[in-house]
Amino acid sequence: MPKQFFALKLVPNRPDFAQTMTAEERGVMMQHIAYWKPMLDTGVMVVFGPVMDPAGAYGLGIIQVDDEAEVGRLIAADPAGKINRYEYHPMMAVVSDRFAQTAS
């Protein structure tokens, strides 16, 4: 079965989170990066990083997994999910020089 792609959005607990993180929150966000980095190396995470939206920065990631249940397990284990919240949505198609796939 081909991998499924999902867009993950990490929504901060306040609009100015990126600019006003406490030392404790910054530590959690460093754990967040450390959590996802190995999955970037193995290809589960395709790309991730902050989006500097003028209305409020948020995190964005694209993952490829076997099923939606895996998405839930991955975001539940992310330390950043304890101080922020996740939204995620399946992607209908992925077009890149690394991947070319449409949803079935």
Side-chain angles (χ1 to χ4, degrees), residues 30-61:
M30 296 307 292
Q31 293 172 18
H32 161 73
I33 293 167
Y35 172 75
W36 286 109
K37 178 66 171 87
M39 287 178 256
L40 184 66
D41 296 339
T42 62
V44 170
M45 177 64 75
V46 177
V47 63
F48 74 101
V51 176
M52 303 312 291
D53 184 335
Y58 59 89
L60 179 68

Side-chain angles (χ1 to χ4, degrees), residues 56-101:
Y58 59 89
L60 179 68
I62 306 295
I63 60 172
Q64 59 173 337
V65 294
D66 292 324
D67 55 40
E68 190 170 351
E70 190 173 352
V71 178
R73 288 189 298 274
L74 290 171
I75 63 176
D78 181 358
K82 292 170 182 49
I83 61 171
N84 299 297
R85 70 178 170 80
Y86 269 102
E87 296 174 1
Y88 68 90
H89 302 283
M91 296 180 69
M92 180 177 242
V94 174
V95 180
S96 81
D97 58 352
R98 284 182 55 191
F99 308 101
Q101 180 175 320

